[in-house]
Amino acid sequence: MKMTKIYEGAYQWIMFGRDENKPDNIIDTNQYVVRTANRCLLMEPGGTELFAPMLAAVLHHAPVEEITDLFASHQDPDIISSLGLWDQALPNAKLHAPAIWEGFLRHFGCESIEYVPIPDTGGVIRLDNVELKLIPAHYLHSSGNFHVYDPNAKILMSGDVGAALESPGAPVFVDNFEAHVEKMRYFHQRWMPSNQAKRNWIERVRELDIDIIAPQHGRMFRGDDVRRFLDWFEGLQVGTAV
Amino acid sequence: MLSVCIIEGSMVSSNVLSGLKMKKNQTKSQFVAVASIAAELSAVMDVAKEISLAAANAKAIAFRAGEKAKGFQPITDFINELAKDTIELVHAINAHALQLYQLTVDEYRMTEAFNKFELAGVLAKGATYESSLRPALLRAQQKMQECLRQFNSHIAQLLDQLGEVMHPARAARVIAANSRIEASQAGEYLQSLQAVAESVDNAAQVIHDNVQRCRSALSFITLTE
């Protein structure tokens, strides 16, 4: 499992991904951790297959008892089908996930972990002195969907928005935006259902101060590539399967 | 400031992997066995209902035959009671089988968790907080052992209950033999009453066979802790 620190200040953001032992027939995913003095938030913990390598990787940064919070942007199995296992490992943790998916996500097993439902309007996660904003991203692609924005680190964890279907071992940052576009096009056109939702999201996200957009698949965008991505996404017709 | 590192390719030992594979097959057998028990029990229930119907039928024939089937009349009550006993027992066993299914799910989840924690332990070798995994691993192991203990205890209870169902099935075969004797003295009602005896005998045989299959399936899945 590759680990990349993407912010280091009074706390840290770490990206995990490109697991070499991942079975070939499951999609590669990025996981993100925010590590503060006494707590640790694990975003998009991943599927069952990824649980052991992910837990092992986090143990390089935090002890089990300090992994206090999980976040799932939506209900997909590659995001959170490992929930039942985290539920056994972290009996005192909280799962922040969309309110509308609670009854669905509990199918994965959630007996000990506290489910903190995120209302449609969004919310915040507080970790020690760090406040993370939960930005609504409904219909991008899931009908109940949130992204995590850190105004201090200027990072937007954008779930499936900005995702790309990459070959194994791809770099973690976009280095040639024009070349990267083709790896994103089909994913966004096919998985994102609503142009209206897309425009609404872009409008809100343009008002945020962002250094890094960190999606759940593929590469992260930094610097000017953040604006390039938003411009490209704005011009893209989505929901093309009908 | 950005930095990148890769966890040194921790090799998972072949013992751990083959242990996981064996456990997976065992769990698969558990689910199949518990599901097949439910199917067999449902068939036993149908047969018991058939016996009950045969008893009602025999009662009506014996009533019409009057004196000629006098010896047959009390037998019909026995048949009916046997059917009722079987149905009640199967109801109780079904409830137990449902609990067993839930335990199978719990046990599967706990074993899965334990195996994954073990694997995480191997992969986390050398990690700063490697030792913090130990309490979770121990907790999972204890829960898994408790599930196994409960599972095996339920299996033992279920085997006893299935043994109890065999009693009415054996008694039904004896009754069927008596019924044939009584039917032979029933004149023109001979054929009808013999058919009743035949159907009770067949039903008892089916129940016996199905219950036997349940018992073998259960004996097969008793787990080692």
Side-chain angles (χ1 to χ4, degrees):
Chain A
M1 181 78 78
K2 197 169 185 176
M3 301 186 270
T4 309
K5 248 175 225 173
I6 57 175
Y7 175 77
E8 177 128 47
Y11 58 99
Q12 300 167 331
W13 270 73
I14 307 138
M15 178 258 202
F16 299 80
R18 313 293 188 265
D19 180 26
E20 287 175 340
N21 298 316
K22 172 189 80 59
D24 291 339
N25 54 2
I26 62 172
I27 190 166
D28 189 33
T29 53
N30 302 332
Q31 291 68 235
Y32 297 93
V33 156
V34 174
R35 174 72 169 124
T36 61
N38 305 300
R39 291 175 66 175
C40 184
L41 164 70
L42 175 51
M43 287 173 269
E44 320 285 57
T48 313
E49 291 287 344
L50 207 72
F51 171 79
M54 192 54 211
L55 175 56
V58 176
L59 292 181
H60 286 260
H61 302 275
V64 170
E65 64 275 14
E66 289 184 16
I67 308 171
T68 52
D69 297 78
L70 303 176
F71 166 81
S73 64
H74 61 288
Q75 83 293 1
D76 276 353
D78 64 321
I79 299 273
I80 186 71
S81 65
S82 57
L83 178 59
L85 294 163
W86 291 107
D87 191 60
Q88 297 297 337
L90 317 171
N92 302 316
K94 291 177 180 176
L95 168 68
H96 306 265
I100 69 162
W101 291 123
E102 179 169 355
F104 297 72
L105 282 173
R106 285 185 182 277
H107 276 275
F108 290 133
C110 183
E111 284 163 20
S112 309
I113 284 181
E114 181 191 346
Y115 193 108
V116 183
I118 309 169
D120 278 353
T121 47
V124 292
I125 297 175
R126 285 186 186 87
L127 299 169
D128 293 324
N129 296 322
V130 177
E131 188 173 285
L132 304 167
K133 294 183 191 307
L134 301 171
I135 310 288
H138 307 310
Y139 304 104
L140 294 172
H141 65 88
S142 169
S143 44
N145 209 125
F146 293 93
H147 295 162
V148 178
Y149 175 61
D150 180 344
N152 183 58
K154 298 179 185 175
I155 297 173
L156 176 70
M157 199 294 288
S158 61
D160 278 322
V161 174
L165 302 172
E166 285 277 9
S167 45
V172 296
F173 280 103
V174 171
D175 44 14
N176 179 340
F177 187 81
E178 296 310 318
H180 191 65
V181 160
E182 287 317 309
K183 293 173 183 159
M184 300 192 287
R185 188 186 304 280
Y186 176 73
F187 186 91
H188 287 78
Q189 287 186 321
R190 185 65 184 87
W191 264 269
M192 304 293 162
S194 164
N195 286 301
Q196 189 189 343
K198 181 199 72 172
R199 279 192 296 273
N200 175 281
W201 179 86
I202 290 170
E203 237 170 67
R204 284 180 288 119
V205 166
R206 281 200 195 278
E207 287 172 11
L208 306 175
D209 188 4
I210 299 173
D211 282 349
I212 294 176
I213 288 183
Q216 194 234 346
H217 306 284
R219 306 184 197 194
M220 294 176 281
F221 305 84
R222 61 182 161 188
D224 287 344
D225 283 337
V226 169
R227 182 191 46 78
R228 284 192 193 102
F229 170 72
L230 294 176
D231 291 347
W232 171 82
F233 192 33
E234 193 164 31
L236 187 76
Q237 283 295 305
V238 299
T240 55
V242 286
Chain B
M1 185 212 241
L2 307 176
S3 67
V4 179
C5 69
I6 297 176
I7 301 174
E8 286 304 322
S10 316
M11 291 304 292
V12 182
S13 80
S14 59
N15 281 350
V16 172
L17 287 178
S18 69
L20 294 182
K21 204 173 172 186
M22 262 174 64
K23 182 62 217 167
K24 225 170 201 173
N25 290 337
Q26 192 177 28
T27 308
K28 211 189 223 174
S29 315
Q30 264 171 263
F31 278 113
V32 171
V34 175
S36 63
I37 288 164
E40 299 287 359
L41 287 176
S42 156
V44 168
M45 186 71 99
D46 289 345
V47 174
K49 283 176 185 164
E50 274 171 30
I51 297 182
S52 185
L53 200 66
N57 194 25
K59 199 165 192 154
I61 296 168
F63 181 74
R64 277 206 302 278
E67 278 300 308
K68 288 176 188 165
K70 207 172 176 187
F72 204 92
Q73 281 173 3
I75 291 177
T76 60
D77 292 334
F78 271 119
I79 299 172
N80 196 33
E81 239 163 71
L82 281 177
K84 262 172 54 187
D85 286 353
T86 307
I87 290 170
E88 271 172 27
L89 270 170
V90 171
H91 267 305
I93 295 173
N94 257 332
H96 220 131
L98 205 66
Q99 272 181 302
L100 193 67
Y101 184 77
Q102 190 51 53
L103 275 172
T104 304
V105 173
D106 292 347
E107 198 269 332
Y108 167 75
R109 280 190 168 158
M110 284 321 306
T111 306
E112 183 83 348
F114 178 74
N115 289 339
K116 298 276 186 189
F117 292 173
E118 255 194 338
L119 184 58
V122 174
L123 294 170
K125 216 160 188 170
T128 317
Y129 301 103
E130 179 194 351
S131 62
S132 73
L133 188 59
R134 205 159 296 137
L137 191 66
L138 278 174
R139 215 169 37 237
Q141 189 174 30
Q142 280 164 1
K143 280 189 187 175
M144 184 180 71
Q145 281 167 347
E146 175 57 19
C147 280
L148 283 173
R149 197 193 58 74
Q150 280 192 37
F151 187 84
N152 285 337
S153 137
H154 273 260
I155 294 262
Q157 288 174 41
L158 204 50
L159 276 168
D160 286 347
Q161 281 182 315
L162 286 167
E164 281 178 46
V165 180
M166 296 294 247
H167 297 315
R170 275 191 215 107
R173 299 210 75 182
V174 174
I175 288 173
N178 287 338
S179 301
R180 280 196 195 94
I181 296 166
E182 292 298 332
S184 66
Q185 293 159 20
E188 70 266 36
Y189 294 98
L190 169 77
Q191 275 193 331
S192 310
L193 290 176
Q194 265 187 342
V196 169
E198 201 61 35
S199 99
V200 170
D201 200 18
N202 287 342
Q205 185 62 48
V206 171
I207 290 176
H208 176 274
D209 292 350
N210 283 28
V211 169
Q212 202 55 37
R213 278 199 292 273
C214 284
R215 286 165 67 94
S216 333
L218 279 179
S219 327
F220 180 65
I221 58 169
T222 303
L223 303 175
T224 45
E225 288 178 34

